[in-house]
Amino acid sequence: MHSSRVQIRPRRRPPLRMLPLGGCGEIGMNLTLYGYDDHWIVVDCGMMIRQDLPNSPLQVPNLDTPKALGIVPKALFITHGHEDHIGAVAWLWPMWNCPIYATPLAAGLLRLKFAEHQLSSAAIHVIEPGEALESGPFTLRYLSLTHSIPESCAIMMMAGGYRVLHTGDWKLDPEPLIGSPVSAAQFRALAPVDLVVGDSTNAPMPGHSGSEGDVARALVKTLANCQGRVVVSCFASNLARVLAIGRAAHQCGRRISLMGRSMERMVSVARGLGYMDDLPPLVPNHDLGYLPPDEVVIIATGSQGEARAALQRLAQGRHPFVDLQPGDNVIFSAKAIPGNERPIEQLKKRLAQLGVRIYDEINHPELHATGHPAHDELTKLYQWVKPKHLMPVHGEARHQQAHQAIARQLGISAPLSPVNGDLISFDNQGLRCEARYPQPPCIVSQNSVVPHPGLEVKDAGTAHRGSLYLALPVTATDTGWVRIGRLMLDATGASPLDEDSFSDWLDDQLDEIAADTLADLRQALQPRLVHWLAEHMQHLPDVHLQIMAAEMPEALTLENAANR
């Protein structure tokens, strides 16, 4: 008689879970929660500017979902110091009160924010690129990548045997000016990784993103041909660009001056860390009037047409120390962020009225390089790290879809194009979406974070039933506004809606409405939207509308140009 055998099955490894609350389906406000075996951490905590609301308030991630699920992160890890990755920390971190890990520059910027909010910075811990640390079952290592701000890092994390590379923002710049180029050997040593959570911003862009070294040489050539005063406007955080402008000015026999509080703050923090030792001596703004115009280069904020920035004050003749004159030069060493096209055009018109010569991304594209990877760079990184799976983040739907297409060409599984609020599970079977939680917007108002209310429906005469969240990506054209990509619609508990008819109606409204800004467009569309929904839905839900600026796809840009 045979003795019975007892088979003991090995305990199934729990999945790794991810919950993005920002940066998926949009560019900005990045925040991703990672959880393994009930231990959660968070990577980045950024904000975005709501250009479609009056006064363009800040929006921060909504923490209702993790609160409802009982998720409390044990640590916050920051990939780099851009506002869309650190801008919400001072608002949201007090709800967690956990350790914060950041590289020196990002930590310095966070300390300034904490001081402004009267928060202790004791929780902020500096970690150098290359260092590793642990949080519960997670082991994480910071890996240097190049980007448009120093110390941008990917995070290689391991938990329960899963190996995940969270890229953060990056590019492959062979000549970054500040810091070293990316080490191919360091990333090849990671291969194979199970999953890449990766930057999708420039996935539709063919080729390579360009180098800061090339921009630096173009700046020298351009400044050498300029007569009169020169103003160069760029993002304050692009310290390599600021350094390149300073060096170019020095080579051309010009002195430099910084203009704009964010520019002065960023350079001050960077100097304290030794990043700007080669920057020539600065001339205070109040001394500029004593120097001949041919001996001056002003590095100013305001490349996006911001109403209160330095360049706008110069264009309006409101700066206390400098008046632009005919023959002066203004260089836009930055790309227009989608949604800012109209304010930038208005700014350029004011400058042109002053007789100023304008250099921008259209007539001099060599004067700017993007900070995100194009097609060839994505391909090269994935050839190094050999991921089995990809989750595309940091981009609108079309960026994520282009990223998925690159993955498919390389034999990488990329079944999901997540949106904020997707609870995603990753295990040996790959990626799957467990649940989808709508994310009502949270706005910073009067120094506090408050839910942004739905559209006003008092006159609709219909009961509220459910909620409808509508994210409408649009871009400005010569004739008005057009919808770009898919309509992001989440009708939670609401009565059925014919999405095709709704999309057609929205396109017709965008054709009819004349509006200069996203805020004007939203104000004009809002009552029409409520009226249409009241007529076409059995019960009128609470409606949350977000109009997002999107880039015109390359194919449509060429088609529009051909039709002119």
Side-chain angles (χ1 to χ4, degrees):
M1 185 173 180
H2 296 287
S3 60
S4 61
R5 292 184 178 180
V6 177
Q7 287 188 334
I8 301 176
R9 292 183 180 178
R11 179 176 176 261
R12 186 180 178 185
R13 181 172 53 159
L16 178 72
R17 288 189 166 87
M18 293 159 282
L19 178 60
L21 299 180
C24 286
E26 65 189 6
I27 295 176
M29 200 177 72
N30 297 279
L31 187 157
T32 304
L33 286 152
Y34 289 89
Y36 182 77
D37 220 6
D38 294 328
H39 185 100
W40 289 82
I41 61 173
V42 60
V43 176
D44 289 330
C45 186
M47 63 80 174
M48 68 188 300
I49 298 172
R50 279 296 296 270
Q51 299 165 310
D52 62 327
L53 296 177
N55 301 317
S56 299
L58 303 183
Q59 180 173 330
V60 299
N62 188 324
L63 299 186
D64 287 349
T65 298
K67 184 177 179 181
L69 296 175
I71 296 172
V72 180
K74 298 295 192 291
L76 167 60
F77 299 91
I78 300 297
T79 60
H80 65 285
H82 275 151
E83 286 295 311
D84 61 330
H85 292 257
I86 67 170
V89 176
W91 302 107
L92 302 185
W93 171 84
M95 303 181 199
W96 303 326
N97 201 27
C98 63
I100 303 169
Y101 298 95
T103 51
L105 179 60
L109 297 171
L110 280 173
R111 288 193 186 102
L112 288 178
K113 290 179 179 295
F114 273 39
E116 290 174 355
H117 286 252
Q118 299 181 325
L119 296 171
S120 168
S121 59
I124 301 172
H125 304 278
V126 173
I127 182 166
E128 296 289 343
E131 287 187 12
L133 66 161
E134 294 183 354
S135 176
F138 287 89
T139 300
L140 306 99
R141 184 176 296 277
Y142 275 63
L143 302 171
S144 288
L145 284 166
T146 48
H147 183 43
S148 52
I149 188 172
E151 300 176 358
S152 190
C153 286
I155 297 177
M156 182 68 199
M157 64 180 79
M158 289 155 281
Y162 299 111
R163 295 166 45 81
V164 179
L165 180 66
H166 182 108
T167 69
D169 293 5
W170 65 281
K171 62 185 289 187
L172 297 179
D173 191 336
E175 198 177 356
L177 299 189
I178 295 179
S180 303
V182 175
S183 167
Q186 183 180 51
F187 283 89
R188 284 195 183 103
L190 302 178
V193 301
D194 295 314
L195 171 67
V196 166
V197 178
D199 180 355
S200 306
T201 312
N202 279 337
M205 179 189 293
H208 196 282
S209 60
S211 172
E212 286 295 329
D214 292 335
V215 175
R217 285 181 283 275
L219 283 165
V220 172
K221 185 176 179 180
T222 301
L223 289 183
N225 293 325
C226 285
Q227 296 180 349
R229 185 181 284 108
V230 177
V231 179
V232 186
S233 189
C234 64
F235 295 113
S237 61
N238 194 339
L239 293 168
R241 190 72 49 82
V242 173
L243 184 60
I245 297 165
R247 288 173 175 171
H250 182 71
Q251 284 183 244
C252 297
R254 292 175 179 260
R255 308 277 298 278
I256 64 169
S257 183
L258 304 181
M259 195 173 284
R261 282 178 293 179
S262 61
M263 182 76 68
E264 293 167 358
R265 172 185 293 190
M266 185 66 70
V267 170
S268 174
V269 173
R271 276 186 148 177
L273 295 169
Y275 281 124
M276 307 296 281
D277 291 345
D278 292 342
L279 190 70
L282 299 174
V283 176
N285 286 180
H286 56 74
D287 287 345
L288 287 172
Y290 300 107
L291 293 174
D294 283 343
E295 296 180 13
V296 172
V297 171
I298 298 167
I299 309 174
T301 59
S303 64
Q304 301 303 304
E306 302 97 316
R308 293 180 292 275
L311 187 57
Q312 191 73 253
R313 284 179 289 151
L314 288 170
Q316 294 176 0
R318 294 190 294 110
H319 197 278
F321 304 117
V322 177
D323 289 317
L324 293 179
Q325 304 293 331
D328 287 344
N329 310 269
V330 172
I331 297 172
F332 287 82
S333 188
K335 184 179 179 181
I337 293 175
N340 291 340
E341 295 90 350
R342 297 286 172 85
I344 293 171
E345 283 306 310
Q346 292 168 356
L347 171 61
K348 289 177 180 176
K349 285 179 182 177
R350 292 192 187 99
L351 292 169
Q353 289 169 357
L354 296 175
V356 170
R357 185 178 180 185
I358 297 169
Y359 301 75
D360 60 20
E361 61 180 295
I362 298 170
N363 59 23
H364 284 273
E366 72 278 7
L367 295 174
H368 176 65
T370 177
H372 299 271
H375 180 284
D376 291 357
E377 292 155 281
L378 290 164
T379 299
K380 182 172 286 189
L381 180 69
Y382 298 159
Q383 289 170 342
W384 290 347
V385 302
K386 302 187 185 308
K388 300 172 185 173
H389 304 271
L390 168 74
M391 188 170 89
V393 298
H394 202 293
E396 299 159 13
R398 70 182 188 89
H399 303 115
Q400 293 172 290
Q401 290 160 6
H403 203 170
Q404 287 176 292
I406 293 171
R408 285 193 293 270
Q409 291 170 359
L410 297 172
I412 301 167
S413 173
L416 300 181
S417 180
V419 297
N420 298 334
D422 283 0
L423 181 60
I424 296 163
S425 175
F426 178 68
D427 57 20
N428 292 335
Q429 305 303 311
L431 291 160
R432 63 185 176 87
C433 183
E434 288 187 4
R436 176 163 290 178
Y437 300 94
Q439 298 298 300
C442 282
I443 302 296
V444 175
S445 176
Q446 297 181 345
N447 220 30
S448 62
V449 178
V450 297
H452 189 262
L455 301 184
E456 186 63 55
V457 294
K458 289 179 181 177
D459 298 330
T462 313
H464 293 241
R465 295 287 176 86
S467 298
L468 188 147
Y469 299 93
L470 171 63
L472 179 60
V474 300
T475 192
T477 68
D478 292 341
T479 57
W481 299 90
V482 295
R483 180 165 60 92
I484 298 296
R486 71 185 183 194
L487 189 67
M488 285 172 273
L489 190 66
D490 192 336
T492 304
S495 53
L497 173 68
D498 184 339
E499 292 190 23
D500 290 337
S501 297
F502 184 45
S503 297
D504 291 342
W505 175 84
L506 274 173
D507 291 340
D508 290 341
Q509 302 309 302
L510 292 174
D511 277 342
E512 293 177 10
I513 294 173
D516 286 335
T517 67
L518 288 178
D520 292 341
L521 177 61
R522 187 180 192 277
Q523 187 175 13
L525 182 60
Q526 175 175 320
R528 302 185 189 199
L529 177 61
V530 171
H531 182 73
W532 191 93
L533 293 172
E535 285 190 342
H536 291 81
M537 298 183 76
Q538 184 178 359
H539 302 291
L540 183 63
D542 285 318
V543 182
H544 298 269
L545 170 66
Q546 178 178 359
I547 301 181
M548 306 185 304
E551 287 185 305
M552 177 77 78
E554 191 70 25
L556 288 180
T557 304
L558 295 174
E559 181 181 329
N560 289 344
N563 291 333
R564 285 176 189 165

